[in-house]
């Protein structure tokens, strides 16, 4: 059974710092990996999708990498801002080897950017 | 932009009631999903549907059923609500299998 782990569980940094969020998964047979952002009491906002054949994706100040063989992904946030404060979730697609479709999620990293 | 809309942000229901959570997407997506999110447990898949009238169980289907009579609408049904179904419920859709998923704003359900 796929397990997704996110480290650290919580992170507090001053504004302007560059930071890295980590995600690891136990089964490398994935189709893609997706990073989401969740604000308190709200739904999920998709940030980046990396297909299994890709190594990285970039959107603005965000860069996500994927090393499928080692079961790892990182989300790099450049020049952090207070508006980046949120919970960041990593999710991997479920493999085609039986079972339901959909995503398997990590428990998230709660990020606070101090002004 | 893809829009996934859940009919209610907050619901309070009594134990034993039949509860309907509604979700509508406007991008002609094939796949739709229902998850629940609980502190310490994260998001877990309840049911998903890959076509009209088609459904498959996720990891925690017990106590739930679903209905997809039209492509754009996916309903989650709590047959007899119980207090352990108090949770945040999130609907999602995607164009095809293993494509980008888009989520609604969530429904916080409290069963008393």
């Amino acid at each position: 059974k796929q397990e997704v782990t996110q480290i650290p569980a919580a992170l507090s940094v001053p504004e302007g710092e560059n930071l890295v969020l980590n995600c690891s998964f136990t089964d490398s047979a994935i189709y893609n990996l997706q990073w989401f952002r969740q604000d308190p009491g709200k739904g999920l906002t998709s940030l980046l999708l990396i297909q299994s054949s890709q190594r990285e994706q970039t959107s603005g100040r965000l860069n996500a990498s994927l090393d499928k063989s080692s079961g790892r992904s990182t989300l790099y946030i450049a020049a952090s801002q207070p508006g980046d404060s949120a919970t960041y979730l990593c999710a991997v697609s479920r493999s085609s080897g039986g079972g339901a479709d959909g995503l398997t999620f990590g428990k998230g990293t709660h990020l606070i950017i101090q002004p | 932009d893809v829009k996934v809309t859940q009919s209610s942000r907050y619901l309070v229901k009594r134990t034993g009631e039949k509860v309907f959570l509604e979700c509508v997407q406007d991008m002609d997506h094939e796949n739709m999903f229902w998850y629940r999110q609980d502190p310490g447990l994260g998001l877990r898949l309840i049911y998903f549907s890959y076509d009209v009238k088609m459904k498959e169980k996720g990891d925690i289907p017990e106590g739930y059923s679903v209905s997809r009579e039209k492509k754009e609408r996916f309903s989650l049904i709590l047959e007899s609500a119980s207090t352990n179904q108090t949770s945040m419920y999130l609907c999602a859709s995607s164009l095809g299998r293993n494509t980008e998923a888009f989520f609604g704003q969530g429904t916080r359900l409290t069963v008393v």
Side-chain angles (χ1 to χ4, degrees), chain B residues 91-111:
Chain B
C91 174
S93 73
S94 66
L95 179 62
R97 191 167 195 187
N98 298 310
T99 58
E100 187 175 10
F102 297 89
F103 280 76
Q105 77 278 27
T107 296
R108 182 162 297 281
L109 172 67
T110 302
V111 182

Side-chain angles (χ1 to χ4, degrees), chain A residues 38 44 89 105-106, chain B residues 35-37 41-45 90 103:
Chain A
Q38 185 176 32
L44 277 62
L89 294 159
F105 283 85
Chain B
Y35 295 85
R36 65 178 280 178
Q37 184 177 29
L41 296 176
L43 278 93
R44 294 175 291 167
L45 181 65
L90 292 157
F103 280 76

Side-chain angles (χ1 to χ4, degrees), chain A residues 1-92:
Chain A
K1 182 185 172 185
Q2 177 77 271
E3 291 184 7
V4 180
T5 302
Q6 292 187 245
I7 295 172
L11 183 63
S12 180
V13 300
E15 180 179 4
E17 283 201 7
N18 303 324
L19 55 98
V20 175
L21 307 182
N22 296 291
C23 172
S24 62
F25 46 95
T26 55
D27 184 350
S28 62
I30 63 169
Y31 285 100
N32 58 50
L33 183 145
Q34 200 165 350
W35 282 94
F36 296 90
R37 167 192 174 129
Q38 185 176 32
D39 294 292
K42 302 288 181 63
L44 277 62
T45 300
S46 177
L47 297 173
L48 289 163
L49 171 74
I50 311 178
Q51 300 292 349
S52 60
S53 58
Q54 297 176 316
R55 298 285 293 190
E56 65 178 83
Q57 280 284 348
T58 298
S59 176
R61 294 182 294 108
L62 305 180
N63 177 276
S65 67
L66 174 64
D67 185 340
K68 185 181 166 184
S69 60
S70 68
R72 295 177 189 273
S73 176
T74 60
L75 180 67
Y76 175 83
I77 302 176
S80 58
Q81 304 171 357
D84 295 331
S85 298
T87 296
Y88 289 80
L89 294 159
C90 166
V92 298

Side-chain angles (χ1 to χ4, degrees), chain B residues 19-37:
Chain B
V19 181
F20 293 84
L21 303 184
E22 307 286 347
C23 176
V24 176
Q25 50 92 5
D26 66 355
M27 284 299 292
D28 202 34
H29 282 179
E30 299 290 331
N31 296 339
M32 297 188 75
F33 308 85
W34 277 106
Y35 295 85
R36 65 178 280 178
Q37 184 177 29

